[in-house]
Amino acid sequence: FFILTMSLPTTITVTIAFLVVAGLILPSVHSLSNSKPNFQDIVSKMRADLPQPKTASPSVSSSNIDYASPPSCVAQEARSLNLFSTTPLIHSAPLSRLCHPHPVFLKLDLLQPSGSFKDRGMAHLCTTVQKMHNSASNSDTTDRMKVISSSGGNAGLAVTTVARNIPKMDVSVIVPETTKPLVVEKLHSLGAEVTIHGKNWNAADALARQWVDDAKKSGGGAVYVSPYDNPLLWTGHSTVIDEIITQLLEQSFDQATTQTNNMKIGAVLASVGGGGLLCGILEGVERNYHGSNEIRSNLVRGTKVVACETEGASSFAASFNSDDGSIVCLDGINSIATSLGATSVTPAVIQRSRRHRDRGEISSSGDDVMSFVCTDGEA
């Protein structure tokens, strides 16, 4: 799920953290740190980075706001087929006390059908590639297609959950030998063809790509589905930002506590593996920033995005903090976050992160991307 922090009465700061296993509240810092801050240090750093409440100004009537402005068109087909859900955004009193005066909200994407945010991206990807496949085959009655993915975690569960609800779509998932038996059993129960191959994800992924190449050579309709490295995935994931903005606006009017003119999302926290979620968050922020709806645009103007990782799986930090932004490949994952961690991130996440940061520097609006790395115990 996601953690959000907001400030009252008029300036809203939102911090999002994608949590796979444990709760996580992290400060925004630019670089890797050799120090080990305790929890109070973390909260103090977060408070220092977030804008303070401002004097209230006249509110805008909710009847004047088009919540469904351009973002409603994103992943529209996948949403219309109910392949992913609009998840709740709830207030957390305990976390709000810790981050006072910034209220904290939880975005419960663990309530997606497969149990993670990845349903968003997989739904958009699968519906798009099926449409392309049907157009290319000139048939809408007999042609089946297969998606082939490599994942021993949430991505495999997501693509299987989505594909089983799309007519004429089959799914194969190749998982490494380290995959838990419970996950393999779950994939089987959802209807996936499961193959166990290789000592790590890289070996499983190489076989998935080989199978797709072989299928194409023989005239088959197979499509490779990366767990994180595909623009269609990122666009699907970006819908979480659209929802958060809409829900914050709706709640501000329902509670009559926040003045919409001065609402601001100050920060977005996301755990990073290969960078798919982070790419989506940056895309969602940028789309709303440049959109025609002034209130939605103002809400994300000056937003900081904080990429959170654990030591031993910090491939984003290693690349983002390098002088030239070159992609650094870790020797391996030495963190308990084995299903989250990736030895390298997609180059797109570094490019998008630097673009977001540069926009803030040029405009002096405060837009930024920051990296935070903590121990498994701190996470």
Side-chain angles (χ1 to χ4, degrees), residues 209-252:
R209 293 174 184 268
Q210 179 186 323
W211 280 9
V212 172
D213 289 342
D214 292 344
K216 289 180 178 179
K217 291 175 183 177
S218 62
V223 175
Y224 169 73
V225 176
S226 168
Y228 62 85
D229 194 6
N230 189 305
L232 293 173
L233 290 176
W234 310 333
T235 296
H237 296 336
S238 73
T239 59
V240 73
I241 294 295
D242 300 334
E243 285 181 19
I244 289 168
I245 291 173
T246 297
Q247 290 167 320
L248 290 177
L249 292 171
E250 289 174 341
Q251 290 193 29
S252 72

Side-chain angles (χ1 to χ4, degrees), residues 40 43 47 91-104:
Q40 290 305 318
V43 173
R47 285 174 176 162
H91 177 258
S92 169
L95 294 178
S96 295
R97 286 194 294 270
L98 285 172
C99 296
H100 180 77
H102 308 286
V104 177

Side-chain angles (χ1 to χ4, degrees), residues 19 21-26 42 309-310 336 372 374-379:
L19 308 182
V21 179
L24 185 64
I25 297 192
L26 301 172
I42 289 174
E309 299 170 290
T310 53
I336 61 172
F372 180 80
C374 66
T375 66
D376 287 336
E378 288 169 336

Side-chain angles (χ1 to χ4, degrees), residues 135-378:
S135 298
S137 65
N138 296 317
S139 171
D140 58 359
T141 57
T142 60
D143 253 7
R144 297 190 67 86
M145 70 168 296
K146 174 177 284 189
V147 291
I148 301 177
S149 186
S150 56
S151 169
N154 289 335
L157 292 171
V159 70
T160 303
T161 300
V162 167
R164 71 194 294 247
N165 290 305
I166 298 178
K168 303 190 183 81
M169 181 171 286
D170 302 317
V171 59
S172 290
V173 181
I174 303 172
V175 301
E177 296 168 2
T178 54
T179 304
K180 294 178 175 60
L182 181 63
V183 174
V184 175
E185 182 181 343
K186 179 68 172 177
L187 289 169
H188 276 302
S189 70
L190 291 171
E193 297 176 3
V194 183
T195 300
I196 301 174
H197 174 81
K199 296 184 180 299
N200 52 42
W201 172 80
N202 300 80
D205 188 64
L207 182 60
R209 293 174 184 268
Q210 179 186 323
W211 280 9
V212 172
D213 289 342
D214 292 344
K216 289 180 178 179
K217 291 175 183 177
S218 62
V223 175
Y224 169 73
V225 176
S226 168
Y228 62 85
D229 194 6
N230 189 305
L232 293 173
L233 290 176
W234 310 333
T235 296
H237 296 336
S238 73
T239 59
V240 73
I241 294 295
D242 300 334
E243 285 181 19
I244 289 168
I245 291 173
T246 297
Q247 290 167 320
L248 290 177
L249 292 171
E250 289 174 341
Q251 290 193 29
S252 72
F253 289 115
D254 290 343
Q255 298 170 6
T257 57
T258 304
Q259 307 304 315
T260 306
N261 283 343
N262 291 323
M263 290 170 63
K264 291 286 186 182
I265 295 179
V268 178
L269 274 75
S271 290
V272 182
L277 174 61
L278 186 54
C279 276
I281 287 173
L282 290 166
E283 182 173 322
V285 169
E286 188 164 329
R287 180 173 58 249
N288 283 277
Y289 180 93
H290 292 293
S292 60
N293 188 307
E294 184 177 349
I295 292 178
R296 297 182 74 97
S297 176
N298 184 62
L299 194 61
V300 294
R301 187 169 289 113
T303 296
K304 295 175 173 61
V305 179
V306 185
C308 307
E309 299 170 290
T310 53
E311 293 177 357
S314 54
S315 54
F316 174 82
S319 298
F320 184 67
N321 293 316
S322 65
D323 292 337
D324 59 356
S326 58
I327 300 302
V328 176
C329 186
L330 305 180
D331 293 333
I333 300 299
N334 299 308
S335 164
I336 61 172
T338 54
S339 63
L340 169 65
T343 55
S344 63
V345 294
T346 173
V349 77
I350 303 301
Q351 296 164 5
R352 293 184 178 202
S353 295
R354 292 197 165 204
R355 183 173 67 204
H356 185 78
R357 182 191 62 188
D358 292 346
R359 184 177 69 205
E361 292 178 351
I362 293 170
S363 65
S364 300
S365 62
D367 302 80
D368 202 355
V369 173
M370 303 169 177
S371 170
F372 180 80
V373 180
C374 66
T375 66
D376 287 336
E378 288 169 336

